[in-house]
Amino acid sequence: MDIVVPEPVARVKRALTVLGAEDTVTVFDSTVPTAAAAATALGCDVAAITNSLVFDLDGAPLLILASGAARVDVRKVAAQLGTGSIRRASPGFVLEHTGQEVGGIAPIGHPQRIKTLLDESLSAHPVLWAGAGDHHSMFSISYRELQRITEAKEMPVR
C-alpha cells in the first residue's frame, strides 16, 4: 500500500532532489508543530531544530531560518539589513507565499524563491532538522548544505 504524501511535503521532496540534496524527509505518526516537540520526537537538542519563520518585510516575505532555541531579534535583523520594520507574518500571508501552514514550514518547496536569512548559531550542529511542509514531516541536513540550497544570507539573528 502506498503512503499518500501531502502536496506541500511532496514539493519539499522534489525541491530537495532538484537542488541536488538528499531526500531525508521523515514522516512522524504524531504532529511536530514546535521545535520542542520535534526535538523530543527526534531525540536531539532543540537548538538543532531549524525553525522556518516567515516575516513581513514591507509586504514581501522574509524567511528566517533560526535555531529552535533562539528568539529572533527583529530589530537587530532590520538594522543589519538596513531596512524598516520586520513584522511576524499572518498565517494567511505565510500560506500565500510558502504554500505551507505555520508550524510545518520548510526552508524550500515554496511557489517562488523567498529572501532567506540563516541563523549563524545553527552552524554549531553537525545535523540540523527542518520542517518539511506539514506538521508531521521534517528533514535532516547539514548547515552548509542548507545554506547552499536556500541561498540564505548567514547572520546572527538574536
Side-chain angles (χ1 to χ4, degrees):
M1 182 168 124
D2 290 333
I3 296 173
V4 177
V5 177
E7 185 53 33
V9 177
R11 282 195 306 270
V12 170
K13 291 169 81 58
R14 282 193 299 273
L16 285 167
T17 302
V18 166
L19 294 165
E22 187 178 349
D23 176 354
T24 58
V25 172
T26 301
V27 178
F28 300 94
D29 291 332
S30 59
T31 60
V32 287
T34 66
T40 297
L42 292 162
C44 70
D45 187 335
V46 72
I49 301 298
T50 305
N51 283 334
S52 297
L53 306 172
V54 178
F55 293 86
D56 183 332
L57 176 61
D58 299 323
L62 173 67
L63 178 61
I64 300 179
L65 305 177
S67 168
R71 182 170 174 87
V72 174
D73 181 340
V74 292
R75 288 190 183 117
K76 179 177 186 170
V77 172
Q80 291 176 90
L81 292 177
T83 187
S85 68
I86 297 172
R87 297 182 319 275
R88 195 67 173 264
S90 70
F93 183 92
V94 171
L95 184 60
E96 174 188 348
H97 291 283
T98 67
Q100 303 162 4
E101 294 182 5
V102 172
I105 301 167
I108 56 170
H110 312 134
Q112 312 228 310
R113 186 168 291 281
I114 297 173
K115 179 176 183 167
T116 305
L117 306 177
L118 180 58
D119 179 356
E120 290 177 341
S121 75
L122 288 166
S123 67
H125 305 279
V127 176
L128 300 174
W129 287 90
D134 73 1
H135 294 105
H136 290 269
S137 307
M138 299 198 67
F139 69 95
S140 62
I141 194 163
S142 71
Y143 178 85
R144 279 289 152 227
E145 187 73 344
L146 181 60
Q147 193 281 323
R148 182 188 71 78
I149 68 172
T150 61
E151 298 179 6
K153 179 177 180 176
E154 300 169 84
M155 70 170 45
V157 299
R158 57 180 168 154

